[in-house]
Amino acid sequence: MMLHPFLFAPDGTGISFSGILHPDAAPEVRVFVLKWNDGRDAFDTIELCLPSGKVRHVAGFTEEEAGRCVRRILKLKDVIWDTAETVSF
C-alpha cells in the first residue's frame, strides 16, 4: 500500500493516506497519524479508515489526544477522500 502525505503540523504530527482500497466492494481509505515521542523513543500512531471513521490502531497517544486527532480527520474526510480518488486513478 502506497502512502501519500497530506499534512504536517508545526508540532511534528504528520498525516498520510492511502489510495482507495477495495474499489469494487466497500471502498475505504486508510489514514495514518504519526508523531515522534521522545519519551517512548518511538512514533505515536493512529490508523483509521474512511469513510467509516473506524479506528484500527492507536499507540502512544492518550485517549484524549487520539480522540482529538480522529475528530479533526473526520472533519477533513471529504477532502482526504477526494484526494485519494485523484491518486488512485
Side-chain angles (χ1 to χ4, degrees), residues 66-87:
R68 190 170 41 249
C69 284
V70 169
R71 284 190 300 278
R72 289 176 178 161
I73 288 168
L74 291 176
K75 287 181 181 179
L76 296 168
K77 75 178 178 181
D78 292 336
V79 174
I80 295 170
W81 189 271
D82 289 347
T83 307
E85 282 184 325
T86 301
V87 300

Side-chain angles (χ1 to χ4, degrees), residues 44-46 55 57-72:
D44 293 343
T45 60
I46 301 171
V55 177
H57 175 80
V58 176
F61 285 99
T62 66
E63 188 173 327
E64 182 180 331
E65 290 171 323
R68 190 170 41 249
C69 284
V70 169
R71 284 190 300 278
R72 289 176 178 161

Side-chain angles (χ1 to χ4, degrees), residues 5-46:
F6 179 70
L7 177 119
F8 292 99
D11 69 354
T13 302
I15 299 173
S16 57
F17 64 94
S18 71
I20 296 177
L21 305 172
H22 320 294
D24 297 326
E28 68 180 13
V29 171
R30 299 266 176 91
V31 178
F32 299 86
V33 179
L34 294 172
K35 182 178 180 182
W36 184 254
N37 182 326
D38 285 329
R40 290 184 41 216
D41 198 28
F43 283 101
D44 293 343
T45 60
I46 301 171

